[in-house]
Every structure is written in structure tokens, then in C-alpha cells.
Amino acid sequence: MARPLRILTWHVHGNYMYYLSQVPHVFLLPVDAQRSPGFSGRAGALPWGDNVVEVPVNALATTQFDCILFQDAAAWNEGQHRCLTEAQRRLPRIYLEHDPPQQHPTDTRHPVNDPHVLLVHVTAFNALMWDSGRTPTRVIEHGVMVPDAVRYTGELPRGIAVVNNLARRGRRLGLDVFQQVRASLQIDLVGMGSEQCGGLGEIANPELPHFLSRYRLYLHPVRWTSLGLSAIEAMMIGLPVVGLATTELVTVVRNGRSGCLATDPQALVDAARRLLADPAEAAAMGACARHDARERFAIGRFVADWQRVFEDVVR
């Protein structure tokens, strides 16, 4: 494009926002005095670039931008009407949907039902399950980065799971499955609020790849969610994945080659026990996982996909 676009969006998912900021445009993040959810701006320990710019909420109406990228229903249903002018709301609009439907799995109508908005799903599974109505849709799969210097060692004969607020999110994120596996095996949990489940707490984003690299395997106990960035990051480092054979994960992990998937939690216990006892098999599966993740989720492909979307909607 002739110049970088100025894109208004909201900080909803930190890691995703960081990866999205690798697209060479300017991202304007609204902030309020409380740094409340969705208005936290350049929050956290991520190394934000100069193209990520905070804008006070009360200055949005006089701020110039080319496109609006919604990332949750709060911004779509309330934020745009409270903070933006009518003329701004007529700018090109994209809605980025991070999750599968939370009500009925197949018959939930997406909150956007507008032929003039582009609905972007992060997985084909999510696009399949949502009823998108009249809204045109595309799928842009995740792109992630891990430091090249970080390599899997698997020296700890333990598994690791990364789930934020697992105690509060419960069965949907697999609290009971995690507890069943941990009752038999050495499994650690990290993430926001993980202490409530006997976990180790939150690990800062820049430190997480090295932290993961020492574990023998990655446990993904989630029943119903999108494809977790932490699972992809673990695969890129070289951890084999043991997880539930649900949602998009079944297209990512090659069962028996880059990990072990099953719908029976006891089968996950058995698979994890085998890998914890056999570091050579775990390393071989992890090498396959690393290859597959780097082929499918490279940041360059992700950036190119978003470049095309922004160009199309603005054009």
C-alpha cells in the first residue's frame, strides 16, 4: 500500500495483539484511566513496537484512522457507539472472532450480521460452528514467533499446561481433565490465576518459551475453545502435545507422530505416562511437532494474510 494504514482496535488478547502488530501498519489502542479490560493499551511485558500507539478514549472522536478492527462483542455492541462518531462508524470494518460459540455449538448466530463487515475467524473450526448470517467471512490461522535460540530439552520428566484462569473457566477449559491427569502424573500449570488450582502462577510472555522448553510434554486439557497460542508456541519449541481430540487441535497434532490425542481422559493419562518415561520418544514426537508448527503457523504467512485483508477492506 502507498502508506501504512491507521487501524483502530482494542487490546483483548495480549499475545495475539503482539503478533498482529508484526503487520506493518499502525495500530491505535484505546485506553481509559483505569486501564480496564479492552482499554489496557500497551499492557504487559510484551516488547511492543512503535507502531502500537495508545489513544485516550476521550480523544477517539477526533482521531483519524482508516479502518476499525473489532475483537469482541463489547466493542461491537457498546464501545463503537459510545466512543466513535457516526462518520467513523462508517469506515471499513473487520470483526476478528477469537472463539467458537459459547451458547449452542452449532446454532448460535454471530453478533455481527452485516454484509458490509468482514468477519475473520482464527480457525476453520470456529468458522464452521458459528452461524455467520449475511456477514462475509475469512479464516486467518494463527502465526506465532518463538526465539530461535530456544530449543526443547525435555530434561524435566514432567508435563506442563498453560491455561489462564482455569479455576474460573472450569469444564470448558478442562479443569476436571487437568485434575484427573495430574492426580496420576507430574503435571505443572502456569497462567493467570493458576495458583488457585495448585499451579505456579503467571510466567511473563518473554520468559515463557524458555520455561516451557525444559518440560517433557505439553498437556492441552481443553474441551471447547479456539486453538490456543500457547499450544502452538510449545510445538514450535519442540514439545509433543497430549490433548483432547476436539476443535481445531485435531488438524494440528498428528496423532502418534507429533503428539497424542484422545477423547478419553484416561487415554491421555496413559499417553503422557509413556512419554514421561521415554524421553527419546518424546523428543522424536516433539521434533515432528516443531516441524509441523513452523510450516503452518509461520509469522510471515500470518502477516501476509492480514495484509491482504486490510488491503481488501480499505480498497
Side-chain angles (χ1 to χ4, degrees), residues 158-163 166 173-183 185-189 212 215-222 230-231 234 239-244 249 260-261 265 267-269 271-272:
R158 305 175 68 88
I160 182 73
V162 183
V163 186
L166 180 57
L173 274 291
L175 172 60
D176 58 314
V177 176
F178 170 77
Q179 291 172 331
Q180 181 174 342
V181 178
R182 188 175 59 177
L185 302 170
Q186 298 295 311
I187 306 291
D188 288 336
L189 173 68
L212 294 177
Y215 281 85
R216 186 73 44 88
L217 62 87
Y218 184 89
L219 175 68
H220 192 271
V222 179
S230 58
L239 278 75
V241 174
V242 175
L244 290 175
L249 193 67
C260 301
L261 301 181
L268 302 188
V269 173

Side-chain angles (χ1 to χ4, degrees), residues 219-275:
L219 175 68
H220 192 271
V222 179
R223 279 185 174 84
W224 184 259
T225 189
S226 194
L227 181 60
L229 287 170
S230 58
I232 301 172
E233 291 161 350
M235 291 178 70
M236 278 202 164
I237 296 165
L239 278 75
V241 174
V242 175
L244 290 175
T246 58
T247 67
E248 190 72 20
L249 193 67
V250 298
T251 75
V252 175
V253 175
R254 289 191 283 169
N255 204 0
R257 287 182 55 83
S258 57
C260 301
L261 301 181
T263 53
D264 178 2
Q266 183 57 47
L268 302 188
V269 173
D270 296 340
R273 178 179 287 113
R274 186 178 73 249
L275 292 178

Side-chain angles (χ1 to χ4, degrees), residues 54-67:
E54 294 184 346
V55 180
V57 169
N58 57 12
L60 285 176
T62 57
T63 300
Q64 298 294 314
F65 45 89
D66 303 291
C67 172

